[in-house]
Structure formats: C-alpha cells, structure tokens
Amino acid sequence: MIAELSGALSALRGSFDLAKLAIDVRDGNKLNEARLAMNERLIDLTSSALALQEKQAALVQEKQALEAKIADLERQVGELEAWDRDLEQYERTQTQGGAIAYVDKSTRESASGPVYLCANCVADRKKTYLQPDVNRYYLECSIHGRIRSEVPDWSAQDAEDDSDDFQGSRGGHW
Ligand SMILES: [Zn+2]
C-alpha cells in the first residue's frame, strides 16, 4: 500500500518535470500533455492515499480490538491467580460420610466445625460454602444438592431428642 503511494508520488513528480520542460521550451502542446498527465497522476495519488487511509483505519481498529483482547486476557489471568491463591487455604478431603469436599485447613480443628466448599463447584472455579443441616448429617450446596457429612452419632441424636423434650415440656409450663 505504501509502495503504491510512493509509486504514484514519483509518477506525479515525473509529470511535474515534464511540465517544467514544456514551460522551458514554451511548447503549448507539450504543456497540455503534461497537464493531463499531472491530473491523471494526481487522481492515482488521491486514490492511493484514500486506500492507504482506509487500510490505516482498519489497522487502528484491529489494534484496538487486540488491545481489548489483551486487557481481557490479563483480567482473566488475574482472576485465575486470585482464585489459586484463595484455594491454597483449602484442601480436598473426604467427609466422615465419605463425600468429597474441600475443607478450609484453618478450620479443621475448629470448635464450630470445619468449613467446607463444594468440590463440584470448585471444579467449576466457583466458591460455594456447604451448609450443614441441623444434625450436620448432610452438607448442602445450593447448586449440587446434599452430600453426606458426618457419620450419624445416634447418642448425640438421643441427647438432642431429650433436650427437645425438655424444651417441649418447659414450653408447656409457659
Ligand atoms: Zn456445588
């Protein structure tokens, strides 16, 4: 494209020289010829310049699209890095009930119980806390449903039933 433009420019220059020569020798016919040639070269030059301008506009657009793509990729890389950093806090584990989940390492021995993430959600790079049911027998993901949590401890269940009864009877007195 640039080559075409410089070709058109040098052709125009050639026709200038022709015109100059015609003026020098005061030849009206040659001058007319040169004028025509100059006009033709000017048209060539204009169309080359226009084509170049179009090409340049397309290149600018392409550059902008590429820049946007790079920014988008950089954002995605940033998100992935943040996700990896975040996930370092967790490790894959098996619940007592045999289900696969991710546990927050710092909460393994926590008095309030370990904090779990849904393994299927982690595979989809989503962070979903598993919510225990009342008895902690199940952990529930809002997307993937329930997994078995702890092996039911029936003695604890009995104790809970007793306390329910106790609350129930006390409720009766109110
Ligand atoms: Zn899930």
Short mmCIF file of all heavy atoms in Angstrom, two decimals, residues 117-131 139-147:
data_model
loop_
_atom_site.label_atom_id
_atom_site.label_comp_id
_atom_site.label_asym_id
_atom_site.label_seq_id
_atom_site.Cartn_x
_atom_site.Cartn_y
_atom_site.Cartn_z
N LEU A 117 -16.11 -26.45 51.22
CA LEU A 117 -16.56 -25.94 49.91
C LEU A 117 -17.03 -27.13 49.08
O LEU A 117 -16.49 -28.23 49.22
CB LEU A 117 -15.41 -25.26 49.16
CG LEU A 117 -14.79 -24.00 49.73
CD1 LEU A 117 -13.71 -23.50 48.77
CD2 LEU A 117 -15.84 -22.92 49.95
N CYS A 118 -18.00 -26.88 48.21
CA CYS A 118 -18.49 -27.94 47.32
C CYS A 118 -17.40 -28.26 46.29
O CYS A 118 -16.89 -27.38 45.62
CB CYS A 118 -19.75 -27.46 46.61
SG CYS A 118 -20.26 -28.52 45.25
N ALA A 119 -17.04 -29.56 46.18
CA ALA A 119 -15.97 -29.97 45.26
C ALA A 119 -16.38 -29.76 43.80
O ALA A 119 -15.55 -29.40 42.97
CB ALA A 119 -15.62 -31.43 45.51
N ASN A 120 -17.66 -29.99 43.49
CA ASN A 120 -18.11 -29.78 42.11
C ASN A 120 -18.05 -28.31 41.73
O ASN A 120 -17.69 -27.97 40.61
CB ASN A 120 -19.54 -30.29 41.93
CG ASN A 120 -19.60 -31.81 41.98
OD1 ASN A 120 -18.73 -32.47 41.43
ND2 ASN A 120 -20.59 -32.33 42.66
N CYS A 121 -18.37 -27.45 42.69
CA CYS A 121 -18.29 -26.01 42.42
C CYS A 121 -16.84 -25.60 42.26
O CYS A 121 -16.52 -24.80 41.37
CB CYS A 121 -18.95 -25.21 43.54
SG CYS A 121 -20.76 -25.24 43.45
N VAL A 122 -15.94 -26.16 43.09
CA VAL A 122 -14.52 -25.83 42.97
C VAL A 122 -14.02 -26.22 41.58
O VAL A 122 -13.25 -25.49 40.96
CB VAL A 122 -13.69 -26.52 44.08
CG1 VAL A 122 -12.20 -26.44 43.78
CG2 VAL A 122 -13.98 -25.88 45.43
N ALA A 123 -14.48 -27.38 41.08
CA ALA A 123 -14.08 -27.82 39.74
C ALA A 123 -14.53 -26.81 38.68
O ALA A 123 -13.89 -26.66 37.65
CB ALA A 123 -14.65 -29.20 39.44
N ASP A 124 -15.63 -26.11 38.96
CA ASP A 124 -16.12 -25.07 38.05
C ASP A 124 -15.58 -23.69 38.42
O ASP A 124 -16.08 -22.68 37.95
CB ASP A 124 -17.65 -25.00 38.10
CG ASP A 124 -18.29 -26.24 37.51
OD1 ASP A 124 -17.60 -26.93 36.72
OD2 ASP A 124 -19.46 -26.53 37.85
N ARG A 125 -14.56 -23.68 39.29
CA ARG A 125 -13.96 -22.43 39.78
C ARG A 125 -15.01 -21.52 40.42
O ARG A 125 -15.05 -20.32 40.17
CB ARG A 125 -13.23 -21.68 38.66
CG ARG A 125 -12.05 -22.45 38.14
CD ARG A 125 -11.20 -21.64 37.21
NE ARG A 125 -10.08 -22.41 36.70
CZ ARG A 125 -8.97 -22.66 37.39
NH1 ARG A 125 -8.81 -22.14 38.58
NH2 ARG A 125 -8.01 -23.39 36.87
N LYS A 126 -15.90 -22.14 41.18
CA LYS A 126 -16.87 -21.36 41.94
C LYS A 126 -16.69 -21.71 43.40
O LYS A 126 -16.39 -22.86 43.73
CB LYS A 126 -18.30 -21.71 41.50
CG LYS A 126 -18.82 -20.80 40.42
CD LYS A 126 -20.27 -21.08 40.13
CE LYS A 126 -20.42 -21.64 38.75
NZ LYS A 126 -21.42 -22.60 38.49
N LYS A 127 -16.90 -20.70 44.24
CA LYS A 127 -16.69 -20.93 45.67
C LYS A 127 -18.05 -20.98 46.35
O LYS A 127 -18.72 -19.96 46.48
CB LYS A 127 -15.85 -19.78 46.23
CG LYS A 127 -15.38 -20.00 47.64
CD LYS A 127 -14.45 -18.86 48.03
CE LYS A 127 -14.01 -18.99 49.47
NZ LYS A 127 -13.09 -17.89 49.83
N THR A 128 -18.48 -22.18 46.70
CA THR A 128 -19.78 -22.33 47.36
C THR A 128 -19.57 -23.00 48.71
O THR A 128 -19.04 -24.11 48.78
CB THR A 128 -20.73 -23.20 46.51
OG1 THR A 128 -20.76 -22.69 45.19
CG2 THR A 128 -22.13 -23.18 47.09
N TYR A 129 -19.93 -22.31 49.76
CA TYR A 129 -19.82 -22.90 51.10
C TYR A 129 -20.92 -23.95 51.26
O TYR A 129 -22.07 -23.72 50.89
CB TYR A 129 -19.99 -21.83 52.18
CG TYR A 129 -18.83 -20.87 52.22
CD1 TYR A 129 -18.97 -19.57 51.74
CD2 TYR A 129 -17.60 -21.27 52.73
CE1 TYR A 129 -17.91 -18.69 51.76
CE2 TYR A 129 -16.52 -20.39 52.75
CZ TYR A 129 -16.68 -19.11 52.26
OH TYR A 129 -15.63 -18.26 52.29
N LEU A 130 -20.52 -25.10 51.78
CA LEU A 130 -21.51 -26.14 52.05
C LEU A 130 -22.15 -25.85 53.40
O LEU A 130 -21.45 -25.64 54.40
CB LEU A 130 -20.84 -27.52 52.05
CG LEU A 130 -20.33 -27.98 50.69
CD1 LEU A 130 -19.54 -29.27 50.82
CD2 LEU A 130 -21.50 -28.18 49.73
N GLN A 131 -23.46 -25.83 53.41
CA GLN A 131 -24.18 -25.52 54.63
C GLN A 131 -24.66 -26.80 55.30
O GLN A 131 -25.30 -27.62 54.64
CB GLN A 131 -25.40 -24.63 54.33
CG GLN A 131 -25.07 -23.35 53.58
CD GLN A 131 -24.18 -22.42 54.38
OE1 GLN A 131 -24.14 -22.50 55.62
NE2 GLN A 131 -23.46 -21.54 53.70
N LEU A 139 -24.29 -31.95 54.16
CA LEU A 139 -23.82 -30.62 53.79
C LEU A 139 -24.51 -30.31 52.48
O LEU A 139 -24.57 -31.15 51.59
CB LEU A 139 -22.30 -30.62 53.62
CG LEU A 139 -21.48 -30.85 54.89
CD1 LEU A 139 -20.05 -31.19 54.53
CD2 LEU A 139 -21.54 -29.61 55.78
N GLU A 140 -24.96 -29.09 52.34
CA GLU A 140 -25.74 -28.78 51.14
C GLU A 140 -25.11 -27.67 50.31
O GLU A 140 -24.73 -26.62 50.83
CB GLU A 140 -27.16 -28.37 51.56
CG GLU A 140 -28.01 -28.07 50.33
CD GLU A 140 -29.49 -28.29 50.56
OE1 GLU A 140 -29.87 -28.44 51.74
OE2 GLU A 140 -30.24 -28.32 49.58
N CYS A 141 -25.00 -27.96 49.00
CA CYS A 141 -24.60 -26.94 48.02
C CYS A 141 -25.87 -26.45 47.36
O CYS A 141 -26.73 -27.27 46.99
CB CYS A 141 -23.66 -27.54 46.97
SG CYS A 141 -23.44 -26.47 45.53
N SER A 142 -26.00 -25.15 47.21
CA SER A 142 -27.23 -24.60 46.63
C SER A 142 -27.38 -25.04 45.17
O SER A 142 -28.48 -25.01 44.63
CB SER A 142 -27.23 -23.08 46.72
OG SER A 142 -26.03 -22.58 46.18
N ILE A 143 -26.29 -25.46 44.54
CA ILE A 143 -26.35 -25.86 43.13
C ILE A 143 -26.38 -27.39 43.00
O ILE A 143 -27.17 -27.94 42.25
CB ILE A 143 -25.14 -25.30 42.35
CG1 ILE A 143 -25.15 -23.78 42.41
CG2 ILE A 143 -25.17 -25.77 40.90
CD1 ILE A 143 -23.82 -23.15 42.06
N HIS A 144 -25.50 -28.06 43.75
CA HIS A 144 -25.32 -29.51 43.54
C HIS A 144 -26.04 -30.38 44.57
O HIS A 144 -25.88 -31.60 44.54
CB HIS A 144 -23.83 -29.84 43.53
CG HIS A 144 -23.09 -29.18 42.39
ND1 HIS A 144 -22.27 -28.09 42.55
CD2 HIS A 144 -23.11 -29.46 41.08
CE1 HIS A 144 -21.80 -27.73 41.38
NE2 HIS A 144 -22.28 -28.54 40.47
N GLY A 145 -26.73 -29.76 45.47
CA GLY A 145 -27.51 -30.55 46.42
C GLY A 145 -26.70 -31.03 47.61
O GLY A 145 -25.66 -30.46 47.94
N ARG A 146 -27.17 -32.13 48.23
CA ARG A 146 -26.59 -32.55 49.51
C ARG A 146 -25.52 -33.63 49.34
O ARG A 146 -25.61 -34.46 48.44
CB ARG A 146 -27.70 -33.10 50.41
CG ARG A 146 -28.74 -32.05 50.76
CD ARG A 146 -29.61 -32.49 51.89
NE ARG A 146 -30.24 -33.80 51.66
CZ ARG A 146 -30.99 -34.42 52.55
NH1 ARG A 146 -31.21 -33.86 53.74
NH2 ARG A 146 -31.54 -35.58 52.28
N ILE A 147 -24.52 -33.60 50.22
CA ILE A 147 -23.57 -34.71 50.32
C ILE A 147 -23.58 -35.15 51.78
O ILE A 147 -23.95 -34.38 52.67
CB ILE A 147 -22.14 -34.32 49.90
CG1 ILE A 147 -21.61 -33.17 50.78
CG2 ILE A 147 -22.10 -33.94 48.43
CD1 ILE A 147 -20.13 -32.93 50.62
#
